[in-house]
Amino acid sequence: QVQLVESGGGSVQAGGSLRLSCAASGYTYNTYCMGWFRQAPGKEREGVASIDSGGRRTYADSVKGRFTISQDNAKKTLYLQMNSLKPEDTALYYCTIRFHPSCSGDIWDTWGQGTQVTVSS
């Protein structure tokens, strides 16, 4: 059973930084795409960043230049380094995975429970 467990959320002031982690377990596939999504109160869930097993990264325009997605394959851990945080980055951040080489598309196999990020002005 695939499991994803996020950590690293918290409360920071605007301009601050946080690093989210997502520990994955329960699979042996080497071909996948992992991603970070977020959902703010009253808003739809939106994609933040993704990375495939080949290391190719994509970012939402709203976070380009501020967020960096990375992975440690040996530890099966996904990271999201968030710098220059803004109040509009406040949301519940989710980690997700799909066992497919492409990060394109809307279908994901497993989701974590989420970690809250709150940015105050």
Side-chain angles (χ1 to χ4, degrees):
Q1 182 178 356
V2 178
Q3 288 190 321
L4 301 173
V5 180
E6 302 98 332
S7 61
S11 297
V12 296
Q13 290 192 326
S17 298
L18 284 172
R19 188 175 84 152
L20 306 183
S21 299
C22 172
S25 62
Y27 66 93
T28 58
Y29 304 111
N30 293 321
T31 301
Y32 56 83
C33 171
M34 295 191 76
W36 288 99
F37 282 71
R38 67 186 181 186
Q39 187 167 20
K43 295 187 177 181
E44 291 188 356
R45 186 172 59 192
E46 62 173 349
V48 175
S50 64
I51 185 168
D52 65 23
S53 47
R56 287 174 288 271
R57 298 169 171 84
T58 61
Y59 296 95
D61 288 342
S62 59
V63 306
K64 281 181 181 176
R66 300 188 298 122
F67 291 10
T68 302
I69 190 170
S70 62
Q71 59 187 352
D72 183 326
N73 291 330
K75 295 181 179 179
K76 286 187 176 178
T77 301
L78 181 72
Y79 302 101
L80 185 69
Q81 178 66 44
M82 305 185 296
N83 298 328
S84 302
L85 282 162
K86 304 175 181 179
E88 51 263 44
D89 295 318
T90 295
L92 189 60
Y93 283 71
Y94 296 92
C95 169
T96 185
I97 190 168
R98 73 152 61 99
F99 296 104
H100 190 277
S102 172
C103 288
S104 298
D106 298 326
I107 298 175
W108 296 84
D109 294 305
T110 302
W111 294 83
Q113 82 288 350
T115 185
Q116 179 67 37
V117 171
T118 303
V119 184
S120 58
S121 57

